[in-house]
């Protein structure tokens, strides 16, 4: 963390395209083992093993404060504690780093910024913010939807322990512009705060790694340093919270437009 923490009351990236042979190497060969037991033992086992994966990952998420080192809510930090110039997108404040490149994903109909794609060398992370319930988490449901959608598309999805709790690792089949079969590999991180959920989709070299190594350390630090400024307007849980352009960017765009008209 590179800013003070308050005393709280408590260019397009190559989307990890790899060839079909690599896809085959990524396939899991796990097989379920048959268990023979009498009726009573089987009944007990069924009761104990009911939704084991859901229980395991929910327990992992609840096991600690995964946001201790960020991402942060605006009430948890003091952005005036240093002289670093940050990018204020309204609902999120991002801390740039040397060599960072950014692309904004804008809804052409509403002209609102839906997500920010930040590139660091051969890696990238897409940041998006969503409304969330005040007392409960919707991360588990979102993960389940991602896994189901990936499998429906013929891809592979698995859950694993990541730096922010349970992360989703996906291998999604795609077709490149030349018609070749490739796969897109990614890791998805989630961070839950007061009535918000921040999603980070990690791609490129960092998307193919696991844990936090030299390849993924920079995108990890970027995601951790994100500060969320959720407004007080009521929103449906799961709805995207649109970003707004920083004043400096908006002013520059307006000046360029005025120059072009002249």
């Amino acid at each position: 963390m590179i800013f003070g923490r308050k005393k709280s009351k408590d260019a397009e990236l190559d989307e990890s395209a790899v060839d079909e042979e690599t896809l085959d190497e990524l396939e899991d060969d796990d097989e379920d083992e048959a268990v023979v037991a009498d009726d009573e033992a089987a009944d007990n086992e069924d009761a104990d093993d009911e939704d084991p994966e859901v229980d395991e990952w929910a327990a992992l998420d609840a096991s600690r404060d995964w946001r201790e080192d960020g991402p942060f809510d605006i009430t948890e930090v003091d952005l005036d504690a240093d002289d670093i110039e940050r990018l204020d997108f309204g609902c999120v404040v991002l801390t740039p780093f040397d060599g960072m490149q950014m692309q904004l994903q804008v809804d052409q109909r509403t002209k609102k910024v839906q997500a920010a794609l930040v590139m660091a060398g051969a890696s990238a992370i897409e940041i998006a913010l969503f409304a969330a319930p005040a007392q409960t988490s919707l991360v588990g449901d979102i993960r389940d939807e991602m896994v189901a959608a990936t499998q429906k598309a013929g891809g592979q999805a698995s859950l694993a322990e990541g730096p922010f709790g349970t992360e989703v690792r996906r291998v999604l089949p795609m077709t490149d512009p030349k018609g070749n079969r490739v796969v897109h590999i990614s890791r998805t991180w989630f961070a839950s705060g007061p009535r918000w959920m921040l999603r980070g989709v990690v791609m490129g070299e960092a998307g193919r790694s696991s844990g936090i190594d030299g390849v993924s350390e920079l995108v990890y630090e970027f995601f951790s340093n994100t500060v969320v400024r959720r407004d007080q307007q009521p929103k449906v849980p799961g709805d995207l919270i649109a970003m707004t352009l920083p004043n400096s960017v908006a002013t520059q765009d307006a000046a360029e437009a005025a120059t072009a008209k002249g």
Side-chain angles (χ1 to χ4, degrees):
M1 180 175 63
I2 56 178
F3 38 71
R5 186 165 188 177
K6 294 180 179 179
K7 294 181 180 179
S8 60
K9 297 179 180 179
D10 303 312
E12 299 185 353
L13 176 78
D14 173 12
E15 294 186 330
S16 307
V18 296
D19 56 25
E20 185 171 354
E21 181 179 352
T22 304
L23 173 61
D24 294 337
E25 293 176 357
L26 291 169
E27 293 180 350
D28 295 329
D29 295 324
D30 295 338
E31 298 180 355
D32 295 332
E33 296 182 356
V35 178
V36 179
D38 56 33
D39 293 340
E40 181 178 356
D43 291 341
N44 292 335
E45 186 176 32
D46 289 341
D48 293 338
D49 291 345
E50 186 174 329
D51 295 333
E53 291 189 11
V54 173
D55 293 341
E56 175 186 354
W57 302 115
L60 174 65
D61 291 340
S63 65
R64 50 169 286 196
D65 177 11
W66 294 96
R67 283 202 310 110
E68 182 177 3
D69 296 320
F72 299 98
D73 188 78
I74 190 65
T75 62
E76 300 168 337
V77 298
D78 181 6
L79 295 180
D80 295 326
D82 57 45
D83 297 326
I84 295 177
E85 293 187 8
R86 296 181 173 83
L87 299 176
D88 191 336
F89 286 90
C91 63
V92 294
V93 180
L94 306 179
T95 301
F97 52 84
D98 290 341
M100 185 183 87
Q101 294 180 307
M102 176 182 292
Q103 293 180 354
L104 301 179
Q105 299 180 7
V106 181
D107 186 314
Q108 295 303 315
R109 183 179 60 84
T110 64
K111 305 303 180 183
K112 293 183 178 180
V113 180
Q114 297 180 313
L117 179 65
V118 172
M119 287 153 281
S123 299
I125 182 169
E126 180 193 81
I127 299 286
L129 184 68
F130 301 86
Q135 303 297 330
T136 59
S137 172
L138 51 74
V139 172
D141 293 336
I142 298 297
R143 286 199 304 256
D144 291 343
E145 292 175 5
M146 290 180 63
V147 171
T150 302
Q151 293 174 342
K152 184 177 180 180
Q156 301 171 42
S158 62
L159 304 182
E161 180 175 347
F164 303 98
T166 306
E167 70 178 27
V168 182
R169 299 179 180 176
R170 296 192 294 170
V171 180
L172 190 64
M174 300 178 65
T175 302
D176 68 12
K178 296 181 179 180
N180 299 316
R181 182 178 180 242
V182 297
V183 291
H184 174 249
I185 303 174
S186 66
R187 304 164 61 186
T188 301
W189 296 335
F190 300 96
S192 296
R195 299 187 302 120
W196 55 260
M197 182 191 75
L198 188 69
R199 185 190 69 192
V201 182
V202 183
M203 298 167 281
E205 289 185 2
R208 296 193 293 269
S209 66
S210 60
I212 298 301
D213 53 22
V215 170
S216 56
E217 186 173 2
L218 191 55
V219 292
Y220 163 77
E221 291 290 343
F222 178 79
F223 190 71
S224 297
N225 285 323
T226 300
V227 177
V228 176
R229 186 193 291 115
R230 164 77 155 88
D231 60 32
Q232 298 302 314
Q233 295 182 1
K235 292 180 174 63
V236 177
D239 277 3
L240 178 77
I241 301 179
M243 306 177 191
T244 57
L245 290 176
N247 291 334
S248 58
V249 176
T251 302
Q252 180 179 356
D253 289 345
E256 291 177 354
T259 301
K261 291 180 180 179

